[in-house]
Structure formats: C-alpha cells, structure tokens
Amino acid sequence: MRPALCASLLLAALSSAVVHGQSPARSDKIMTLAELRGCMSLEQANTKAGAEILKDQDGFKRDQDAVKAGQAEVNTASAEVRARSAAIISEREALSTQLTALNTLAQDAKTDAERATVETATAADRAKLVERSRMLELSIDSFNASQQALRDRVTALNARIDDINLRNKTINDRVEPHRQQATLWRDQCASRRFREEDEVAIKRELAAKK
C-alpha cells in the first residue's frame, strides 16, 4: 500500500479585493467606462476562481481525511490477516507433528497384533486429527478469501490516493495564476476612481451575463 498522501494542501489567501462605490483618496484619472468594465469583470472572475479553489481545497481535505481513515482500517485488517496466517501455520505444524507421532507408533510395532493394538488405541486421536485437518482446510479457504478482499481494498485505496493527489496538483496549479490575477486587479484597479453611474450600468451588464 502506498504511504500516506504525499500531496500537501496549498492554502492561499484567495479573497479578491472589492471595488467600492467610493472614490479613493488619490487623484488618479477617472476610469473610462471600458476600463471600469475590465476591472469589474476581472474582479468577478477572481472572486469566482477563488471560491472554486477554496471549494476544491475543502473537498480535497475531506477526501484526504477519508483516505487516512481507510488506511487505518486497512492497517487493522492487515494485522488481523497476519494473525490468522500465523494461527493457520501453527495449527498446520501441530497437526503434522501429532500425525507423525501416531504414524511412528504404528511403524514401531513389531507384529501385526501390536500394530492393531496401536491403531485401536490411537483411533480416537486419528479421528480428531482428521476433523482438525478438515476444519483447517475450511479456515484456509476463508483466509484466502479474506486476503484477496484485503488486496482489492488496498488496490482501490491506492487508486483513490492517486486520484486525490492528481486533483490536488490541479488545484495547486491554479493558485499562483489566481494570485497573479488578484495582484493585477490590485495594481490596475484598486486605487482608481470611477463614476458610480458607470458602476451601476456595468453591474447590470455583468448580472445579465450570469
């Protein structure tokens, strides 16, 4: 199974500056209608992009937490599988040792009568070994099924980790361009004066485009 998620969530200050209806204290030239339209469109795009990035980052965090929980469950299941494997190996070795001991008793018999006596005396033990062997085979079948199910869970979890890391990369790749656009708005628009009637008209235009 892959290690814990390697991608780091890149949290950025994504809030866009807001164009106010008040003129700033600077004596800059009043923006033309086209300039104000460009600034307001840029602000609207920045606000939308920032909200989408934050939403996707929140989604990544939720998915990351879910994957970490899944990893913990898989680790627990892996420990259980290892314990079952050890128990099966121990039982198989015990059966082999006891069966060898019974066979040795029969082989050490000098005569057919002694051999018959040994077989009669050990018949109950042999029957118990046969039953334990049958139960062991059932346990092995169940163990193999559990082991395959665990492999499937690990494969699915790794695929999910790959998907989450890929999506996180696409989020991070969008952060810097968004910062640049926010900086562009701040440099070109934040301290510019404009006519309030132009702002009202452009807001209507932008609202109609939504």
Side-chain angles (χ1 to χ4, degrees):
M1 187 175 66
R2 287 169 176 71
L5 295 178
C6 58
S8 60
L9 185 62
L10 180 58
L11 293 174
L14 298 171
S15 57
S16 299
V18 178
V19 174
H20 299 288
Q22 303 170 357
S23 299
R26 295 178 55 177
S27 59
D28 294 347
K29 179 181 177 181
I30 294 177
M31 282 192 283
T32 65
L33 181 65
E35 289 174 332
L36 181 59
R37 182 182 291 110
C39 283
M40 292 179 67
S41 297
L42 179 59
E43 178 195 21
Q44 186 182 67
N46 285 349
T47 299
K48 180 181 178 181
E52 289 175 350
I53 291 173
L54 289 174
K55 178 182 177 181
D56 290 344
Q57 286 179 326
D58 288 342
F60 170 83
K61 183 61 168 60
R62 288 193 298 272
D63 289 343
Q64 186 183 47
D65 290 342
V67 164
K68 287 180 178 178
Q71 287 176 317
E73 292 174 358
V74 165
N75 289 339
T76 298
S78 296
E80 292 173 354
V81 165
R82 288 194 296 272
R84 288 183 64 185
S85 175
I88 287 173
I89 292 172
S90 178
E91 175 66 355
R92 178 181 286 163
E93 292 175 349
L95 287 173
S96 177
T97 298
Q98 293 173 38
L99 181 60
T100 298
L102 292 179
N103 289 338
T104 298
L105 288 175
Q107 292 170 1
D108 289 345
K110 305 299 184 184
T111 64
D112 290 343
E114 289 179 358
R115 188 173 297 107
T117 299
V118 169
E119 289 177 353
T120 300
T122 60
D125 290 336
R126 286 183 180 276
K128 290 178 181 179
L129 289 180
V130 169
E131 177 61 16
R132 283 174 60 186
S133 181
R134 185 183 72 81
M135 295 301 296
L136 178 62
E137 290 304 316
L138 293 176
S139 180
I140 290 173
D141 290 341
S142 174
F143 169 79
N144 288 338
S146 298
Q147 193 174 43
Q148 183 57 52
L150 179 59
R151 291 194 190 100
D152 293 341
R153 287 179 64 183
V154 169
T155 298
L157 186 60
N158 284 339
R160 190 173 181 187
I161 290 173
D162 289 342
D163 176 67
I164 290 174
N165 284 337
L166 178 60
R167 285 192 289 116
N168 184 59
K169 182 180 184 303
T170 65
I171 295 172
N172 290 343
D173 288 345
R174 287 151 52 198
V175 170
E176 184 56 32
H178 173 72
R179 282 176 170 163
Q180 292 175 0
Q181 290 298 99
T183 299
L184 178 65
W185 183 92
R186 185 180 66 248
D187 292 344
Q188 296 187 1
C189 305
S191 298
R192 297 288 303 279
R193 293 184 299 149
F194 55 87
R195 297 180 180 87
E196 291 188 13
E197 58 269 27
D198 289 346
E199 179 190 28
V200 172
I202 293 170
K203 281 183 176 178
R204 289 173 182 163
E205 292 177 11
L206 295 177
K209 293 179 181 179
K210 290 184 179 179

